[in-house]
Amino acid sequence: MNSAITIFLAGLIYVVLYHTYGKALQNKVVKADPNRPTPAHKLYDGVDYVPAHPLVLYGHHFASIAGAGPIVGPAVAMAWGWLPGLLWVWFGNVFIGAVHDYLALMSSVRYDGKSIQWIAGKLMSKRTSMAFELYVWFALILVIAAFANVIAGIFVKTPGAATASILFLLIAVILGWLLYKVQIDFKVGTIIGIVLLALAIYIGFKFPIEASKQVWYIFLGLYIIVASSLPVWILLQPRDYLNAYILWFGLALGGIAFLVVGLKGMGTFTAPAYTTWSAHVVGGKPSPFWPTIPLVIACGALSGFHSLVGSGTSSKQLDNELHGLLVGYGGMFTEGFLSTIVISSIAVYGIKVFQDANVAINFQNWAQIYAPMVASKIGKVTIFAKSYAYGLHDAFGIDVKAGALFASLWVSAFALTTLDTATRLGRFAWQEIIEMVKGPEILKNKWVASFILVFLGIYLAWIGKWLVIWPAFSGMNQMLASIAMMTASLWVAKVQRPAGIWKWAVLIPALFLWVTVTAALIWFLIYVGKGSIWVSIITIVGLALNFLLVIDWYHAWKKPAEEYQAATA
């Protein structure tokens, strides 16, 4: 295989499916109406409900859902060879992940921007909603701990990225003021923002800020409390929009580079296409491709975290229902394209990166040593960053060290965006929980709700205890996707009632995902989780929730559609 062919095929698949399958979902399932007022207009409050330009919201949504997942997951899955991972990214992305993200967004839009957890309660039962809300809130504490640890680590190792990131925040405030208060022309504001962004990167490299990890924890904690409580137009929207330019630039540069490398005859895949059914991947154990692949390749194909973003921040900022396809469906396709670049770059240059680290790898030992060596010696992000950098060098002559540095900055931009969006989502979940139990009003205050969440998350990062339960997170995240997809299938079948076979286009992937994730959690509990009592407990709790969901879903599915209240809009 040649890198030019995979990049071309990925682009073709995503463009064609967006304009056929995606448009059909929009017109026949969601029945998007440009004249129907969205929550951003109906409930405008200048804080969370604020209509955004479609490109700004697409940038926010894509940057928030990406994180490091579409890079790390496919990089680790190369242990099975490049072909299984590539097929799962394309298949899972088109028929499950993008459908999941788009329906989570649009169902939330039809329920006044409420979360997917709230919608599950509306369509199934209150106990489903409460269990779902608590699960999401605890999961987001863990996300904050993990991403704070990742970002603080990057800032310590690459101080220039810290300087640039802080300057990004100031530039975002300037852009937000220009766009919403001065009401400068959108294109002019964008150009000013991009120029300042480039200047910030230059200053970052010239004047790096060096500090300990603990100092960065405190900084990040204060930052995300403020960022999640301020009105979205001041910081969140413009910051994510500008960050997205870094991400888009990196995507375009990488896509073109691996096309050029392929056309030059230097893009032949040197990694094996397929190794074995059970490569050593999860916890260093022999891991069957099915059902463990959705646990490993998360964001590149599908991720439950995306449903929280779609039904959390994005649905409250959608200006027009027709923009939902670009934001929800297109955002997921962009992640799939990113994962395709990751797989292509490692397939071409992965062996070279192993050689740089003095690790002898070949077709015979690939399945056994690839994932463990990536985790312990090379680094899950580093193997991509260096492979990407070699591609830029062979395509355009860019220095390998500069290319790897840019790739690292790229990843930190993803992670920082995910961190503050996760905090805002955790605040929403906490406020919905307090509303359900009719708790004191003070606990619903946005500053109080944010502080409680961030304090717990940063504390876990500070003491390092989040690592004890992190191995269970990938399974829990995909279980969240399963719950969201089952909820979406009910919404489509009972509320939207599409003609013909379209309800099966959601129901079949939802059932496939539920069976896959349940089997994966059972496998994980038996073969991997037994080494940690906390991981085992969390996995068992997750499984219990998963079976509770399917029972409630079955009872709801049997009800006549007439019993369901129509959409509120």
Side-chain angles (χ1 to χ4, degrees):
M1 180 60 85
N2 183 291
S3 63
I5 295 174
T6 56
I7 298 297
F8 175 76
L9 279 178
L12 186 66
I13 288 170
Y14 291 135
V15 169
V16 171
L17 269 292
Y18 181 89
H19 288 284
T20 53
Y21 200 68
K23 291 280 186 182
L25 284 171
Q26 174 187 260
N27 298 328
K28 296 180 179 178
V29 176
V30 171
K31 301 168 188 170
D33 180 357
N35 297 315
R36 191 197 306 259
T38 61
H41 291 283
K42 286 169 59 184
L43 303 172
Y44 176 85
D45 63 2
V47 178
D48 297 318
Y49 291 85
V50 179
H53 188 283
L55 283 179
V56 172
L57 187 56
Y58 169 64
H60 156 70
H61 185 82
F62 169 58
S64 298
I65 64 174
I71 295 170
V72 171
V76 173
M78 284 291 293
W80 284 291
W82 59 264
L83 185 59
L86 194 62
L87 290 177
W88 174 250
V89 164
W90 288 350
F91 172 81
N93 192 302
V94 169
F95 294 109
I96 306 178
V99 178
H100 162 276
D101 289 16
Y102 180 52
L103 294 182
L105 169 67
M106 294 311 297
S107 60
S108 173
V109 167
R110 294 294 172 81
Y111 285 105
D112 288 342
K114 294 288 189 182
S115 68
I116 193 72
Q117 311 91 283
W118 187 93
I119 298 170
K122 176 84 173 175
L123 299 177
M124 289 184 246
S125 71
K126 284 188 177 178
R127 71 172 183 178
T128 309
S129 184
M130 177 55 81
F132 201 172
E133 290 279 14
L134 287 170
Y135 167 77
V136 166
W137 189 72
F138 281 111
L140 288 172
I141 290 175
L142 201 55
V143 169
I144 290 171
F147 276 80
N149 177 69
V150 169
I151 297 167
I154 291 174
F155 284 0
V156 170
K157 289 182 180 176
T158 315
T163 308
S165 296
I166 293 171
L167 291 175
F168 285 180
L169 305 181
L170 298 176
I171 293 167
V173 172
I174 293 170
L175 182 62
W177 177 75
L178 287 174
L179 290 178
Y180 289 95
K181 291 299 179 185
V182 179
Q183 296 190 330
I184 193 173
D185 180 77
F186 182 74
K187 292 178 182 174
V188 175
T190 299
I191 292 170
I192 292 173
I194 292 173
V195 170
L196 291 175
L197 204 60
L199 185 62
I201 294 172
Y202 175 77
I203 294 174
F205 289 141
K206 287 291 184 183
F207 303 100
I209 299 175
E210 296 187 3
S212 69
K213 208 168 183 179
Q214 285 69 29
V215 170
W216 289 123
Y217 281 146
I218 295 170
F219 169 80
L220 290 171
L222 293 174
Y223 161 67
I224 55 180
I225 288 174
V226 173
S228 67
S229 304
L230 286 175
V232 288
W233 64 267
I234 293 178
L235 183 59
L236 189 79
Q237 280 185 1
R239 205 288 313 278
D240 291 358
Y241 175 56
L242 287 178
N243 252 357
Y245 274 95
I246 298 176
L247 311 180
W248 291 330
F249 178 71
L251 271 178
L253 189 66
I256 295 170
F258 282 94
L259 274 174
V260 172
V261 165
L263 293 174
K264 281 184 174 180
M266 304 164 73
T268 303
F269 285 6
T270 56
Y274 173 75
T275 57
T276 177
W277 175 257
S278 294
H280 292 237
V281 180
V282 182
K285 308 282 185 183
S287 311
F289 177 71
W290 188 92
T292 52
I293 193 72
L295 274 66
V296 176
I297 300 181
C299 296
L302 67 103
S303 166
F305 180 71
H306 298 186
S307 68
L308 304 184
V309 177
S311 68
T313 53
S314 299
S315 63
K316 296 176 178 62
Q317 301 174 60
L318 197 71
D319 186 33
N320 184 310
E321 284 200 351
L322 294 183
H323 299 166
L325 190 67
L326 171 69
V327 175
Y329 202 75
M332 188 66 236
F333 274 13
T334 314
E335 282 217 52
F337 187 68
L338 169 59
S339 290
T340 303
I341 292 176
V342 172
I343 292 171
S344 300
S345 61
I346 298 174
V348 176
Y349 295 105
I351 288 181
K352 188 174 178 63
V353 176
F354 271 89
Q355 289 171 345
D356 291 345
N358 295 316
V359 177
I361 191 167
N362 52 50
F363 278 35
Q364 285 69 42
N365 64 12
W366 186 283
Q368 285 74 42
I369 74 166
Y370 175 86
M373 291 308 296
V374 166
S376 64
K377 189 163 184 177
I378 295 175
K380 295 173 184 175
V381 172
T382 304
I383 190 168
F384 161 68
K386 285 193 173 179
S387 298
Y388 180 88
Y390 277 126
L392 298 187
H393 177 267
D394 285 351
F396 310 120
I398 296 173
D399 180 72
V400 173
K401 284 186 178 177
L405 190 61
F406 172 71
S408 298
L409 183 64
W410 200 28
V411 176
S412 71
F414 276 120
L416 193 58
T417 307
T418 301
L419 181 66
D420 56 29
T421 299
T423 308
R424 188 174 288 259
L425 295 172
R427 168 164 72 81
F428 292 155
W430 174 263
Q431 289 170 328
E432 288 183 351
I433 291 169
I434 298 301
E435 191 174 309
M436 281 185 206
V437 300
K438 303 188 186 308
E441 281 296 313
I442 184 66
L443 292 179
K444 289 169 63 177
N445 178 277
K446 60 184 181 181
W447 295 97
V448 174
S450 299
F451 175 79
I452 293 170
L453 183 85
V454 171
F455 175 80
L456 293 172
I458 295 295
Y459 177 71
L460 279 178
W462 191 293
I463 63 176
K465 290 297 182 185
W466 65 277
L467 286 167
V468 177
I469 50 180
W470 182 252
F473 181 75
S474 59
M476 297 297 101
N477 180 49
Q478 298 310 68
M479 197 197 74
L480 176 59
S482 163
I483 298 172
M485 199 71 178
M486 297 289 273
T487 302
S489 71
L490 270 180
W491 179 67
V492 168
K494 302 297 182 180
V495 178
Q496 294 301 102
R497 304 182 211 175
I501 63 171
W502 278 102
K503 77 175 182 181
W504 300 102
V506 185
L507 180 60
I508 292 173
L511 293 175
F512 170 78
L513 188 58
W514 188 89
V515 171
T516 299
V517 172
T518 303
L521 288 175
I522 293 171
W523 172 84
F524 185 83
L525 182 65
I526 295 173
Y527 293 100
V528 184
K530 62 185 179 183
S532 166
I533 184 67
W534 284 108
V535 170
S536 297
I537 290 173
I538 291 171
T539 306
I540 290 170
V541 170
L543 277 168
L545 177 59
N546 214 24
F547 281 103
L548 172 71
L549 163 87
V550 82
I551 292 169
D552 288 348
W553 178 88
Y554 177 70
H555 289 306
W557 185 265
K558 288 198 303 182
K559 291 181 184 176
E562 289 71 23
E563 288 188 19
Y564 285 84
Q565 185 178 340
T568 54

